[in-house]
Amino acid sequence: MSINRLTGGLIDHASPLQFTFDGKTFEGRKGDTLASALLANDVRLMGRSFKYHRPRGVLSAGSEEPNALVELRSGARREPNTRATTVELFDGLTADSQNRLGSLKFDALGVNDVFHRFFAAGFYYKTFMWPKAFWEKLYEPMIRHAAGLGSISLQDDPDVYDKGFLHCDLLVVGAGPAGLAAALTAGRAGARVILAEEDFLLGGRLIADTGTLTDMSGADWVGTAQAELATMDNVRIMPRTTVVGAYDHGVYGAVERISDHLAVPEDGKPRQVFWRIYSKRALVCAGAIERPIAFENNDRPGVMLAGAVRAYANRWAATPAPSVVVFTNNDDGHRTAADLVAKGVSVPTIVDTRDTAPDMQGTEVLAGAQIADTKGRLGVKSVTVKLINGQTRVIPCGAVAVSGGWNPNLGLTCHQRGRPVWSEKILSFVPGGDLPQGQSVAGAANGETSTHSALASGAQGAVDALESIGLTAQAGDLPAAEDRPVSVSPFWYVQGAKRAWVDFQNDVTVKDIKLSHQEGFRSVEHLKRYTTLGMATDQGKTANLTGLAVMAELTGKTIPETGTTIFRPPYTPVAMGALAGRSVGKAFHPTRLTPSHHWAAEQGAEFVEVGNWLRAQYFPRPGETHWRQAVDREVLATRSSVGVCDVTTLGKIDVQGADAAAFLNKIYANGFAKLAVGKVRYGLMLREDGIAYDDGTAARLAEDHFVVTTTTANAVPVYRNMEFARQCLWPDLDVQLISTTEAWAQYAVAGPNARKLLQKIVDPEFDITNDAFPFMACGEITVGGGLRARLFRISFSGELAFEIAVPTRYGDALIRRLMDEGQEFDLTPYGTEALGVMRIEKGHATGAELNGTTTALNLGMGRMVSKKKDCIGNTLSERDGLNTADALALVGLKPKGDGQIMTGSHLMAASGPVDAAHDQGYVTSAAYSPILESSIGLAFVKNGSNRLGETMRAVNPLEGGELLVELVSAHFVDPEGGRLRD
Amino acid sequence: MIINHPLLGPRDAAEFVYLGDAGLIDRPDWQADDAAQAFHDYMYLRDNPAGLHRELWFHEQGDRSWLVVTRNTVTHEITNVELARDVAIAQGRGQ
């Protein structure tokens, strides 16, 4: 085994695991992270920095890691920007370093570092401004190639992600001393508790440090606490779960990594679950994050946070090097030195910036000293120490453990409006007021630095939180633990450094911050954006406060006066897959099938997505090689004999009540009060601003019963608006609404033989002859020997037509029966394309014409808008601007000679300029009419109804082309409407 | 966000569709002399307060009630939830 593997710790020395890093095979232990296993194998160099491609090693032992980002796994499962510090080692793990050209040791883009003086803060803004044309062709591709982090697999993720919902009285975030004490306190009181821990082991610093709890080691006490919690049905322990966001009203988002510690998820298990946790109260026990001190070349692999070095030694039995120098401004750094020595690691020197520093038996302590520089190209080989007397000394070592003090982990406390406040005691920000509703904070996250105070505040935090929701808990007896006072001095960076790194991931130095200040970017928010400090994937967890301290010094203000930076969700990066859950591919949205879908599929229909619906687009027959052949055939067959089309997708709203007619009179622009029972009327709805909204029909089945249809697209919003009108505008009307779109299967049966066909299935007691059941009649009937149905004599195609509705479960049977009975008429099923062709031939408007900018006047229905009643939209439809003399009017178009009219073309005078100033209108719909054997179109043209016969140009600069067209009536087929009434 | 529905209790905001200012209940009289101006104001002029705001939410994935929710736009605190129909009647609509 490697020279850097120590004894003890919480790894299983008897369980070796093989893994590869950059193609080289190593051996780790069960319980290792990728970072700890690499350190144990004497690998300090783990990546290259973002901008300068500087060699970088691991800095931390947690999710705050800025440097050690790797691409994990291979093939479709490759995952970039994974922090080696949080990757749980498994047998067969493969990882690769990223952001390099060539090998990690000889990164060709390391040349960026040689030219670093050109890459300082604001470099992009200044350098790449000129010449302008170079940006797209040269600078941007170059920067995109050189900068950046890992690369994605470009393949579909083979794993499944899930979403879930949880409810609790108390959510405890973090299972360190404070979180465990809180969970025990609340769990014993019977409260419903969720204990979420980011790590795969509970314990936090209790398993990274050597202190005892009464007579037990930290790890043993954690074990007993976990065992007790596991016996409580009211407590849910969630390791490998990061609470990433605090949302309104006690809702938290959390990612549980179910399978990330396995090579491949177990059968049926998701990779990750995104939980939405509804908590009555939440206690944030998220601990603290150590901050580095900035000094010259402090980014060499081997320079690490002291608390992390201690955690690697104690928990993972690994050290970055056999010899470690400690650099600290506080007492906590000395604990690292003591723990390392106890583990057999050499600590030649403690460099303490304070003039008086505690002594340590057997280890040299240099008080009032600073590290001036480090040496070693791919990893630290020595440090140069500036002594209190001004002299310098070079000390060989393989690593530097740096402690600049501890910052409470504020993430979740800032996700709403919380602004942290400055604490002189710990020289850091602690949570302030305005925390998210129901949230409180305990332990190191609240500035409680000792184990004792963490335990006590966690227990008390749980008691207080539960009391506020009416539950009683007792803090109980706490184990005896260290209760050292804080001793930290304000020391942020070593003066005089040329390149002292503050934000490792975004390559921001002390000098960059000074440059930013010099150039006038003095507010913290400007500083961030100019230097990109704190804007990398780690959100500056280890960098922000040091950056602030440098800025404070430059502006001569205190740190709290200078400002603070806050955090937004997510606390750590979240995989897109986890946010999507199961809503991928075909499950991205629900698919709605029409009642005739399976029958249509048997006929070989092509389907088209219409919102969530799949509708038959056309029904190709053998020998047809182009969709137009099928569509033309369907149109001609319908117009010459009879066709059938599934129109179930149109919205259907059942309107009942004594005031149903009065209500519809308010909803529609045209009148409905006098519509006779057994009759249907076309209805146009306006928006309150006077623009046309939706159209359809309303059939009066009884004095107090209407069936309203809407367009497919507007079925949901029209219903919503009708409920608004019913509940909010006219609450006195006796009327009830319900959507019945999915309750009825509805078919249009159209063509000269439509009645003959229907007479074969409508039960004989119902007379549907023209006299008994004329155009726009409706009624409740039975078909096929007693099946209840509704029949409407309405026509979208312009032919003699009916729409017949049966309960949805009979929809499949009805289409099959119709097809059987229709054989003698050569009944032809038609899809949405033929439907569209026929409605254009007839000049009927759809969504292309009711496009959110047009009025009833534009549509040629101006007279329908009643001025004698109160209805939605009529007042504002009378506005002058909507009623000018040259208002757009719907007309038909025919090409002069051959040519194809294209939707979206704009209409210009037959000669003259083609530009926006001379725009006279636009084409909304176009189709080939097999009846007219010509391309036809519908268009809005200024004053169009008075210009029929005029020749204009339809121009399409987007797709190219210009076509001479004649303005004609929009009713190409049967303009008098005789066929409808046959 | 969680909306405490007067009939159904606490429900996730994802079940609702948002419309806007509850002033939309106060639809003007179409026969008034200043109807055109009143409808213009009704349609286009809204307050955008930083603080308490009465607004309309529709329980589309639920019981289809329109609600008037009084919400602090700064803190998202919800201080009152009423059935819009009750509000409309109390304001004298449909008399």
Side-chain angles (χ1 to χ4, degrees), chain A residues 4 6 134 139 167 292 454 636 723 768:
Chain A
N4 289 343
L6 311 173
F134 275 31
Y139 296 143
H167 297 258
L636 292 170
E723 282 289 4
I768 60 168

Side-chain angles (χ1 to χ4, degrees), chain A residues 744 760-766 780-790 804-807 809-810 814 817:
Chain A
W744 294 88
K760 293 178 73 177
I761 66 158
V762 172
D763 289 338
E765 61 267 38
F766 298 98
E780 291 179 290
I781 58 165
T782 60
V783 298
L787 174 63
R788 71 192 177 110
R790 290 169 174 175
I804 181 165
V806 292
R809 62 186 179 282
Y810 295 101
L814 180 60
R817 177 79 187 277

Side-chain angles (χ1 to χ4, degrees), chain A residues 379-398:
Chain A
V380 177
K381 289 186 175 143
S382 68
V383 294
T384 306
V385 178
K386 189 176 163 211
L387 302 173
I388 194 165
N389 62 12
Q391 294 174 336
T392 58
R393 214 173 95 193
V394 174
I395 302 171
C397 63

Side-chain angles (χ1 to χ4, degrees), chain A residues 165 248-249 251 276 278 416-417 437 688-689 716-717 719-721 723-733 737-739 867-876 879, chain B residues 1-3 12 14 17 19 24-28 30 35-36 39-40 42-44 56 58 60 63-67 74-78 84-86 88-89 93-95:
Chain A
F165 300 82
D248 293 307
H249 306 165
V251 180
R276 189 186 287 213
Y278 296 81
Q416 304 278 307
R417 306 180 64 231
Q437 183 184 320
E688 193 67 271
D689 64 359
V716 171
Y719 178 79
R720 185 188 304 154
N721 288 349
E723 282 289 4
F724 176 76
R726 185 181 76 85
Q727 296 175 40
C728 301
L729 301 182
W730 296 288
D732 56 321
L733 294 182
L737 313 172
I738 190 163
S739 168
K867 299 193 190 315
K868 295 184 201 141
K869 62 160 186 173
D870 183 17
C871 66
I872 290 174
N874 66 347
T875 301
L876 289 181
R879 283 182 287 173
Chain B
M1 288 202 300
I2 293 169
I3 294 174
D12 194 290
V17 171
L19 178 64
L24 286 168
I25 292 174
D26 307 321
R27 188 169 177 275
W30 70 293
F39 268 92
H40 166 273
Y42 167 74
M43 200 60 221
Y44 297 111
L56 285 156
F58 181 51
E60 187 148 272
D63 75 340
R64 298 169 279 140
S65 288
W66 277 94
L67 305 180
V74 178
T75 63
H76 293 185
E77 185 190 9
I78 291 174
R85 188 167 185 276
D86 293 347
I89 289 169
R93 287 211 64 82
Q95 296 303 306

Side-chain angles (χ1 to χ4, degrees), chain A residues 21 33-36 38-39 43-49 54-72 79-87 95-98 104 149 299 301 303-304 312 504-505 537-538:
Chain A
F21 179 65
T33 62
L34 176 58
S36 71
L38 285 171
L39 289 177
V43 176
R44 288 176 298 172
L45 174 63
M46 297 188 197
R48 288 274 175 170
S49 73
R54 304 238 325 164
R56 290 283 166 80
V58 66
L59 180 76
S60 73
S63 63
E64 67 270 32
E65 177 60 32
N67 282 340
L69 304 184
V70 298
E71 287 178 3
L72 195 65
E79 186 183 358
N81 307 337
T82 312
R83 287 147 297 169
T85 50
T86 61
V87 173
D96 290 284
S97 60
Q98 54 191 38
L104 186 56
L149 298 168
D299 65 332
V303 179
M304 295 170 63
Y312 283 117
F504 293 94
Q505 195 173 127
T537 64
D538 64 340

Side-chain angles (χ1 to χ4, degrees), chain A residues 829-854:
Chain A
Y830 64 93
T832 55
E833 290 294 333
L835 180 90
V837 170
M838 287 190 280
R839 71 94 192 166
I840 294 170
E841 288 177 337
K842 185 64 185 169
H844 280 154
T846 62
E849 286 76 33
L850 276 73
N851 59 17
T853 69
T854 52

Side-chain angles (χ1 to χ4, degrees), chain A residues 267-577:
Chain A
D267 247 11
K269 288 278 179 69
R271 171 91 179 270
Q272 298 178 353
V273 176
F274 191 89
W275 293 103
R276 189 186 287 213
I277 301 174
Y278 296 81
S279 68
K280 288 184 186 159
R281 291 290 180 268
L283 189 62
V284 174
C285 305
I289 293 173
E290 203 169 12
R291 59 188 182 235
I293 297 170
F295 54 91
E296 182 79 17
N297 287 316
N298 63 328
D299 65 332
R300 291 196 196 284
V303 179
M304 295 170 63
L305 292 168
V309 174
R310 192 158 89 217
Y312 283 117
N314 290 331
R315 172 176 168 184
W316 284 289
T319 179
S323 168
V324 181
V325 165
V326 171
F327 183 32
T328 185
N329 65 357
N330 66 79
D331 285 358
D332 196 65
H334 293 254
R335 290 172 75 182
T336 298
D339 284 6
L340 288 175
V341 169
K343 281 277 187 181
V345 178
S346 158
V347 180
T349 306
I350 298 172
V351 181
D352 194 320
T353 62
R354 297 170 296 180
D355 288 346
T356 44
D359 287 330
M360 183 170 154
Q361 190 69 42
T363 298
E364 178 189 40
V365 177
L366 298 174
Q370 302 169 8
I371 293 185
D373 199 359
T374 66
K375 291 277 187 301
R377 197 176 73 85
L378 299 174
V380 177
K381 289 186 175 143
S382 68
V383 294
T384 306
V385 178
K386 189 176 163 211
L387 302 173
I388 194 165
N389 62 12
Q391 294 174 336
T392 58
R393 214 173 95 193
V394 174
I395 302 171
C397 63
V400 186
V402 185
S403 180
W406 291 80
N407 297 329
N409 188 355
L410 300 168
L412 293 172
T413 70
C414 299
H415 283 184
Q416 304 278 307
R417 306 180 64 231
R419 291 291 181 279
V421 295
W422 183 252
S423 161
E424 270 303 324
K425 183 179 142 203
I426 61 166
L427 296 177
S428 189
F429 285 99
V430 295
D434 269 345
L435 296 179
Q437 183 184 320
Q439 188 186 93
S440 47
V441 193
N446 207 28
E448 304 287 353
T449 53
S450 76
T451 310
H452 168 78
S453 61
L455 290 164
S457 71
Q460 192 57 44
V463 170
D464 294 344
L466 293 181
E467 191 186 352
S468 69
I469 53 170
L471 297 175
T472 307
Q474 308 293 332
D477 288 338
L478 295 168
E482 61 83 17
D483 196 14
R484 274 180 286 251
V486 196
S487 175
V488 59
S489 65
F491 187 92
W492 309 95
Y493 68 99
V494 175
Q495 297 281 351
K498 286 193 283 291
R499 299 174 82 195
W501 306 87
V502 177
D503 183 324
F504 293 94
Q505 195 173 127
N506 264 353
D507 275 343
V508 180
T509 63
V510 171
K511 221 171 175 179
D512 289 324
I513 300 168
K514 289 183 172 171
L515 182 65
S516 159
H517 173 259
Q518 188 183 315
E519 296 186 355
F521 297 94
R522 291 174 190 189
S523 103
V524 180
E525 296 305 319
H526 290 161
L527 165 72
K528 274 180 71 173
R529 278 149 190 86
Y530 194 59
T531 62
T532 71
L533 177 89
M535 293 174 74
T537 64
D538 64 340
Q539 289 198 323
K541 290 186 177 70
T542 56
N544 286 347
L545 190 57
T546 309
L548 215 52
V550 175
M551 193 54 130
E553 190 182 285
L554 294 169
T555 53
K557 293 179 184 170
T558 64
I559 292 174
E561 280 169 351
T562 306
T564 175
T565 57
I566 57 164
F567 300 90
R568 297 190 189 94
Y571 173 67
T572 50
V574 178
M576 288 291 180

